[in-house]
Amino acid sequence: MECISISHKTAKATQRQRYFIAKEEAVPLLQEVMKIDGVEQCVLLSTCNRTELYVQGERNLFGKLEQILANSADDSVEWVRSLDRRYQGQKAIRHLFLVTCGMDSMVLGEDEILGQVKEAYMRSKEAGWTEYELNMVFQAALACAKRIKAQTMLSKTSISVATLAAREVFRFSLPTKTVLLIGSSGQMGNIVLKDLLSKEELTILATTRTHLGLYQNNHSQVKNIPYQQRYNYLDEADVIISATSSPHYTVTAKQLRQAITTQKERLFIDISMPPDIDENIGGMEHCHLVSLDDIHRLAQENNQLKQQALEDAQEILEKELDELCKMLAFHDFIKRNACWKDVYMEYSAEKLIYLLRDELDNGSFEAVLKVLEKKIIEN
């Protein structure tokens, strides 16, 4: 298995934006990947913090995968290569496990990534673009993530990007706050909304970019407003949060200047990819813009509190990863050596042990002897 990854570890939000693949663009891009000579299976994972291609087939397909991403952003392969990381074999499998378990996330232990990986995997599986190898790897990674979620404090103490965004609202110093939440029906927006509703002093104006333009919620703190009328409420709002999957700005600096008449401090929080809020708003008087890169900084502070949970999660991950790699190695051995039973049927136990002794290093041979001794004791 091979993987190329452009993530928050290698690229800023504005750079990641260029390689973000929206859901409606994912299948055409995967079709292009499957046309590459040597690619037998593939999965695309694209979130606000990472775009990754996982493939199974011939070795050293990195250059062709980089060309696909370069074409998607109308960039050069050299530029893609300056931003991505390459993973091959067990390193690629380990990387997927770390990603799926939230251990490679901007916010350590985040919950959203598990669902995003599952969705990415199922998209390829249903299209027939995964077989034994990628099915085994992705299913094992998802199972490992669920086990870590259940057995460690990594997910129980999980703070997502959306939760950190809500925390910024609480830290914004005003006696009362009116929050305009754009994109409240999406996954990120829903988490933000739930966190905001924990504070009774907040008034929430909620909208979403749908054909109806309304977020259906009967909570007394929430007022549903049409998306098309959002600028009419900007003057009233103290905090504006945008969390949509829109390819266009939901709030622009030009229209904001026309919409506001009251001079007061306003907080703008953008947790979307591509960005929803015009970055020029951050330079306007009395306007404070928090972007995904700012959330990254807050996430690093939060991650320092999770080190013990991380160690517990890593122990589980290593065991699950070891089991998977042994299964994949045995499957590969059988596929390459269909007649292996016939060959070794003539070997006595003693002859086989001598063969292993001559071929293995000391540590590996001792491990084999310990397994055999265990079976002798059990019998």
Side-chain angles (χ1 to χ4, degrees):
M1 187 172 88
E2 295 183 340
C3 166
I4 61 169
S5 168
I6 297 176
S7 75
H8 62 95
K9 290 188 172 182
T10 63
K12 296 180 180 179
T14 53
Q15 295 170 325
R16 299 197 302 274
Q17 175 189 349
R18 295 185 59 79
Y19 302 98
F20 174 74
I21 310 297
K23 291 180 181 179
E24 59 272 17
E25 300 168 345
V27 169
L29 187 137
L30 284 165
Q31 289 172 333
E32 289 299 310
V33 174
M34 289 299 295
K35 292 177 183 177
I36 296 174
D37 288 339
V39 171
E40 299 170 358
Q41 307 168 53
C42 67
V43 173
L44 166 70
L45 174 64
S46 191
T47 73
C48 61
N49 287 324
R50 68 181 66 248
T51 293
E52 300 182 336
L53 279 168
Y54 294 86
V55 298
Q56 179 72 24
E58 293 180 3
R59 291 176 64 84
N60 298 321
L61 293 164
F62 297 118
K64 296 176 181 179
L65 298 178
E66 287 163 343
Q67 184 66 65
I68 292 283
L69 286 187
N71 293 344
S72 73
D74 197 24
D75 280 336
S76 68
V77 173
E78 290 73 21
W79 181 244
V80 172
R81 202 163 288 156
S82 72
L83 296 177
D84 73 8
R85 287 182 178 174
R86 298 174 169 192
Y87 302 93
Q88 191 175 62
Q90 290 191 20
K91 290 183 178 179
I93 298 172
R94 177 184 295 277
H95 176 70
L96 175 63
F97 269 60
L98 290 170
V99 168
T100 309
C101 296
M103 295 162 69
D104 192 67
S105 296
M106 179 185 291
V107 180
L108 190 61
E110 64 154 319
D111 287 332
E112 289 91 344
I113 190 64
L114 176 58
Q116 291 165 337
V117 171
K118 182 178 181 180
E119 181 180 2
Y121 164 59
M122 292 305 297
R123 182 190 298 117
S124 285
K125 185 175 186 292
E126 290 169 1
W129 296 328
T130 65
E131 297 174 15
Y132 179 88
E133 289 83 3
L134 287 194
N135 285 336
M136 285 290 293
V137 170
F138 273 85
Q139 288 170 16
L142 291 166
C144 182
K146 291 175 183 177
R147 183 180 170 191
I148 286 174
K149 182 178 175 63
Q151 297 182 13
T152 76
M153 295 298 293
L154 192 67
S155 61
K156 294 180 177 62
T157 57
S158 173
I159 299 178
S160 66
V161 168
T163 301
L164 287 173
R167 282 189 174 184
E168 285 300 285
V169 177
F170 304 149
R171 289 167 58 178
F172 191 52
S173 182
L174 282 176
T176 59
K177 298 188 186 82
T178 297
V179 179
L180 173 59
L181 177 56
I182 304 171
S184 48
S185 66
Q187 185 179 26
M188 297 277 273
N190 247 310
I191 296 171
V192 173
L193 182 60
K194 289 176 182 178
D195 287 337
L196 294 179
L197 289 175
S198 66
K199 302 290 184 179
E200 294 182 358
E201 68 271 18
L202 296 180
T203 299
I204 302 165
L205 308 173
T207 185
T208 186
R209 295 185 75 258
T210 67
H211 66 287
L212 295 176
L214 294 177
Y215 175 65
Q216 302 302 320
N217 187 290
N218 297 320
H219 198 285
S220 60
Q221 285 177 251
V222 180
K223 178 181 178 181
N224 300 313
I225 64 171
Y227 172 78
Q228 294 78 6
Q229 298 178 22
R230 64 196 183 282
Y231 282 102
N232 297 342
Y233 294 87
L234 282 175
D235 193 59
E236 176 184 353
D238 302 296
V239 180
I240 298 88
I241 304 174
S242 198
T244 79
S245 57
S246 169
H248 310 293
Y249 287 141
T250 57
V251 184
T252 67
K254 180 180 179 180
Q255 290 179 286
L256 176 64
R257 290 189 183 95
Q258 298 172 352
I260 57 175
T261 58
T262 306
Q263 294 299 313
K264 62 179 180 179
E265 300 300 311
R266 288 183 174 85
L267 176 64
F268 293 80
I269 302 177
D270 188 350
I271 54 174
S272 303
M273 181 58 72
D276 275 353
I277 298 178
D278 187 346
E279 63 182 9
N280 292 316
I281 289 174
M284 293 173 58
E285 189 176 8
H286 305 299
C287 294
H288 309 274
L289 176 60
V290 175
S291 67
L292 269 177
D293 284 336
D294 297 316
I295 294 292
H296 187 190
R297 187 192 73 253
L298 298 171
Q300 288 177 324
E301 297 172 2
N302 172 71
N303 290 346
Q304 294 175 3
L305 305 175
K306 297 186 177 181
Q307 289 309 305
Q308 182 57 54
L310 178 61
E311 290 177 14
D312 296 338
Q314 285 175 330
E315 185 175 345
I316 293 174
L317 184 145
E318 293 300 332
K319 290 179 180 178
E320 298 281 335
L321 189 60
D322 184 65
E323 284 298 315
L324 172 66
C325 288
K326 286 190 290 187
M327 291 174 65
L328 289 172
F330 189 56
H331 173 78
D332 187 53
F333 168 79
I334 292 175
K335 189 165 66 171
R336 288 184 287 107
N337 302 279
C339 62
W340 72 278
K341 288 185 179 179
D342 296 332
V343 172
Y344 287 104
M345 189 176 293
E346 304 300 323
Y347 273 63
S348 66
E350 183 180 10
K351 186 177 180 181
L352 187 57
I353 290 175
Y354 280 122
L355 173 65
L356 293 171
R357 184 199 64 180
D358 294 339
E359 296 295 330
L360 297 177
D361 60 67
N362 180 58
S364 299
F365 186 59
E366 284 189 2
V368 170
L369 293 179
K370 285 181 180 179
V371 172
L372 295 175
E373 188 174 11
K374 181 180 177 182
K375 291 303 290 184
I376 293 171
I377 294 172
E378 288 176 356
N379 292 334

